[in-house]
Amino acid sequence: MKPETRKDEIINTAAKLFKEKGYSAVTMRDLATAMGMKAASLYNHINSKQDLLKAIIISIAEEFTNGMTTIINSEMSNISKLKRVVTLHVDITANNTNGMASLNNDWMHLEDQLEYYLQLRDDYENNFLQIIKEGILASEIKQSNPEVIMFSMLSTLRSLYLWIPKKEDLNANDLAQSLSEVLIDGINT
Amino acid sequence: MKPETRKDEIINTAAKLFKEKGYSAVTMRDLATAMGMKAASLYNHINSKQDLLKAIIISIAEEFTNGMTTIINSEMSNISKLKRVVTLHVDITANNTNGMASLNNDWMHLEDQLEYYLQLRDDYENNFLQIIKEGILASEIKQSNPEVIMFSMLSTLRSLYLWIPKKEDLNANDLAQSLSEVLIDGINT
DNA sequence: GTCTATAACACGATAGAC
DNA sequence: GTCTATCGTGTTATAGAC
């Protein structure tokens, strides 16, 4: 772990506030108060409010892209790949719960990087869908609508940022395990 | 269907804009432009921006509460109750996709009604959890962590507002059916 | 019921002292 | 690196003509 610079502190504090109220409702004065300084002083470390959003969202989006690439290129069953996707989400979310809120809810307020973000998200979803389709072809996965399956899994995984902070007793491995069981094996006896 | 009053038109247009950018990022000027009038004219029909949010969120939240009460008081298996919950979400969301976005993402900007909303949400989740726990006791549902099951189902159901508008070809009954299969029966062969 | 004009204030960001 | 002061603009909402 590198030591946290003052800029990193600001970014992390911003992510926390953005999670609570959303990007648009957080003012630079709010952020400054949370940092124990005046709003003008923030600009010695950052260029703009928009840069904060960019720093929060793009780095996480790229983490997902890299993780997905590794999974896609690996040699394992499609069910195992899905379980690896679950673990990917649990790990990234556990490491940056606040940032995940911005990724999910404030991406539309990106300015210069909006298209890039949408491209990454689109590629990610296509890869996710591909794993499911190949799993169905290989008879590892039930003959259901692949898009419904992806929608359901992805909705759950994208909501993890709301849930992980409330369940601190559950460690990442146990949570990924429980989630895989529920998402993949179902709940019906 | 009652004829839509001018006030209803404004509320529905507001819901659409709130879905796109969030409550805080939508200005009364944006709303007025979308309505083809000037911002000042809006105030002949509504009292404040906050009132719009209240009208959108609280009515839907009460629909969920009423629907859940009916399900809880009905005589059927717990698995059937869960399927009815899925249908409840699909129906309400199909009827008011835009409003569901505010319910999910902008509830924290409620002022006077915030506590009331949180109370309704809390009661709803407790009832949901109760169905799952009784289903496990009755051996209808697998011995998994009930909270993980609820979290997973509810995350998916709460995301429906994003998905339903993109899949207009799927009717409500078919969607509820597919979702129940995936959420309750799982995807593993 | 819609308009123009404007009040009263909050916003992001900058200038320049220390 | 933090401060005070402030610019220029955008915000919700109201007043009053038509």
Side-chain angles (χ1 to χ4, degrees):
Chain A
M1 286 291 205
K2 267 181 261 184
E4 200 174 54
T5 67
R6 200 92 172 106
K7 180 172 179 176
D8 290 337
E9 266 189 88
I10 294 173
I11 292 172
N12 291 334
T13 305
K16 181 176 163 237
L17 297 182
F18 292 167
K19 182 189 176 189
E20 288 168 9
K21 303 201 295 175
Y23 175 74
S24 301
V26 174
T27 70
M28 297 304 278
R29 288 167 175 84
D30 291 337
L31 178 54
T33 303
M35 286 291 300
M37 54 170 68
K38 297 289 174 180
S41 308
L42 293 169
Y43 290 88
N44 257 294
H45 306 280
I46 58 148
N47 292 317
S48 66
K49 189 185 176 186
Q50 173 69 201
D51 273 5
L52 291 170
L53 189 67
K54 193 195 314 184
I56 292 166
I57 292 183
I58 298 297
S59 62
I60 306 182
E62 289 176 339
E63 267 191 85
F64 275 107
T65 297
N66 295 337
M68 179 60 91
T69 302
T70 304
I71 292 169
I72 284 283
N73 292 332
S74 68
E75 300 268 356
M76 53 175 88
S77 70
N78 293 289
I79 285 283
S80 296
K81 285 181 181 174
L82 287 183
K83 288 180 179 170
R84 286 281 299 276
V85 171
V86 171
T87 304
L88 179 68
H89 278 260
V90 169
D91 288 347
I92 292 180
T93 306
N95 257 323
N96 197 349
T97 349
N98 296 330
M100 283 301 299
S102 300
L103 183 80
N104 283 319
N105 303 321
D106 284 319
W107 57 266
M108 72 286 281
H109 298 118
L110 284 172
E111 292 164 13
D112 293 351
Q113 312 287 320
L114 178 58
E115 269 194 68
Y116 176 53
Y117 164 78
L118 290 175
Q119 181 67 58
L120 292 183
R121 190 179 68 172
D122 205 43
D123 292 346
Y124 189 86
E125 291 183 4
N126 284 334
N127 284 327
F128 201 144
L129 198 55
Q130 192 59 30
I131 297 174
I132 293 168
K133 284 181 176 168
E134 284 175 14
I136 292 174
L137 276 178
S139 300
E140 298 170 38
I141 295 176
K142 280 185 191 160
Q143 282 274 358
S144 304
N145 182 332
E147 286 181 308
V148 174
I149 295 175
M150 179 178 75
F151 163 69
S152 171
M153 291 191 69
L154 210 38
S155 297
T156 301
L157 297 175
R158 281 178 174 154
S159 303
L160 276 169
Y161 78 97
L162 290 169
W163 211 64
I164 286 182
K166 293 201 290 190
K167 301 286 157 186
E168 287 173 359
D169 47 325
L170 226 56
N171 74 40
N173 282 340
D174 290 350
L175 178 57
Q177 177 63 30
S178 302
L179 266 179
S180 288
E181 280 173 18
V182 168
L183 291 174
I184 293 170
D185 300 332
I187 64 174
N188 213 342
T189 48
Chain B
M1 283 292 205
K2 267 182 260 184
E4 199 175 55
T5 66
R6 200 95 173 104
K7 180 171 177 177
D8 291 336
E9 268 189 87
I10 294 174
I11 292 172
N12 291 334
T13 305
K16 181 178 163 239
L17 297 183
F18 292 167
K19 183 190 176 188
E20 289 168 8
K21 302 202 295 177
Y23 175 75
S24 301
V26 174
T27 70
M28 297 305 276
R29 286 187 245 270
D30 291 337
L31 177 55
T33 303
M35 286 291 300
M37 55 170 67
K38 296 288 174 183
S41 308
L42 292 169
Y43 291 88
N44 256 291
H45 307 280
I46 59 148
N47 292 317
S48 65
K49 186 184 177 187
Q50 173 68 201
D51 273 4
L52 291 170
L53 189 67
K54 195 196 312 181
I56 293 166
I57 292 183
I58 298 299
S59 62
I60 306 182
E62 288 174 342
E63 268 191 85
F64 276 107
T65 298
N66 294 337
M68 179 59 92
T69 303
T70 305
I71 292 169
I72 284 283
N73 293 332
S74 68
E75 298 270 354
M76 52 175 91
S77 70
N78 293 289
I79 286 283
S80 296
K81 286 181 181 174
L82 287 184
K83 288 180 180 171
R84 286 281 299 275
V85 171
V86 171
T87 303
L88 179 67
H89 278 260
V90 170
D91 288 347
I92 293 180
T93 306
N95 258 322
N96 197 347
T97 345
N98 297 330
M100 284 300 301
S102 300
L103 183 81
N104 283 320
N105 303 322
D106 283 321
W107 57 265
M108 73 286 281
H109 299 119
L110 284 172
E111 291 164 13
D112 293 352
Q113 312 288 321
L114 179 58
E115 268 194 69
Y116 176 54
Y117 164 79
L118 290 175
Q119 182 67 59
L120 292 183
R121 190 178 69 172
D122 205 44
D123 292 346
Y124 189 86
E125 291 183 4
N126 284 334
N127 284 328
F128 201 146
L129 197 57
Q130 192 59 29
I131 297 173
I132 293 168
K133 283 181 177 167
E134 285 175 14
I136 293 174
L137 275 177
S139 300
E140 298 169 37
I141 295 175
K142 280 185 193 161
Q143 284 272 358
S144 305
N145 183 332
E147 288 181 305
V148 174
I149 294 175
M150 178 179 76
F151 162 70
S152 171
M153 291 191 68
L154 210 38
S155 298
T156 301
L157 297 174
R158 282 179 174 154
S159 303
L160 276 170
Y161 77 98
L162 289 169
W163 211 65
I164 285 182
K166 292 200 287 187
K167 300 286 156 186
E168 287 172 358
D169 47 324
L170 225 57
N171 76 40
N173 281 341
D174 291 348
L175 178 57
Q177 177 64 30
S178 301
L179 267 179
S180 287
E181 280 173 18
V182 168
L183 291 175
I184 293 171
D185 300 332
I187 63 173
N188 213 341
T189 49

